[in-house]
Amino acid sequence: MNASTHEVKATRTATPVLVLAIEPVPGLRVYEEPEELRHPDGNTHPWRLGHHSGLAMAAFASQEDAINGAHQVADCADWTRPATELRADPGFDLTGYYDRLMEKTSGLLIAN
């Protein structure tokens, strides 16, 4: 997988932050959270699974775990759709998505 520039939307900064990310599943990105966005008390889960819109979805201890997370939720939605469409889609099984991440990965969910 080739890395490309990905824009991360962070609530603690006024401007988006650019990171290098891979796309293991169409529409989903895996990247390491930049230092400037990490909590000062340390971070045991620096790897992120995010939507192509820039929103983070889950945190993982390693890149491999984050890639596994992407594969586990790959068929939960058409992740290439805009985040606003996914949120408004009554057919999107949010509970199923959460359950799959919690049962099949070591990830921590990120609420957006």
Side-chain angles (χ1 to χ4, degrees):
M1 280 176 266
N2 292 328
S4 61
T5 303
H6 174 63
E7 191 174 89
V8 175
K9 294 180 181 173
T11 58
R12 286 183 263 148
T13 62
T15 59
V17 178
L18 296 178
V19 297
L20 286 179
I22 59 172
E23 186 176 34
V25 170
L28 296 179
R29 307 291 198 276
V30 168
Y31 58 92
E32 188 169 12
E33 184 177 40
E35 287 290 331
E36 63 264 28
L37 299 180
R38 293 189 191 182
H39 294 287
D41 58 352
N43 191 350
T44 61
H45 291 72
W47 287 90
R48 297 293 184 260
L49 170 60
H51 186 259
H52 67 88
S53 66
L55 298 173
M57 298 164 54
F60 295 87
S62 71
Q63 181 181 33
E64 294 78 22
D65 289 342
I67 291 169
N68 176 50
H71 290 291
Q72 293 298 330
V73 300
D75 63 352
C76 288
D78 175 359
W79 297 110
T80 63
R81 293 172 55 195
T84 53
E85 283 184 20
L86 288 170
R87 284 187 176 132
D89 184 352
F92 178 59
D93 181 9
L94 187 59
T95 302
Y97 159 77
Y98 288 150
D99 289 347
R100 195 174 293 182
L101 268 179
M102 297 309 293
E103 292 172 9
K104 301 194 179 273
T105 77
S106 60
L108 303 173
L109 293 171
I110 296 174
N112 283 310

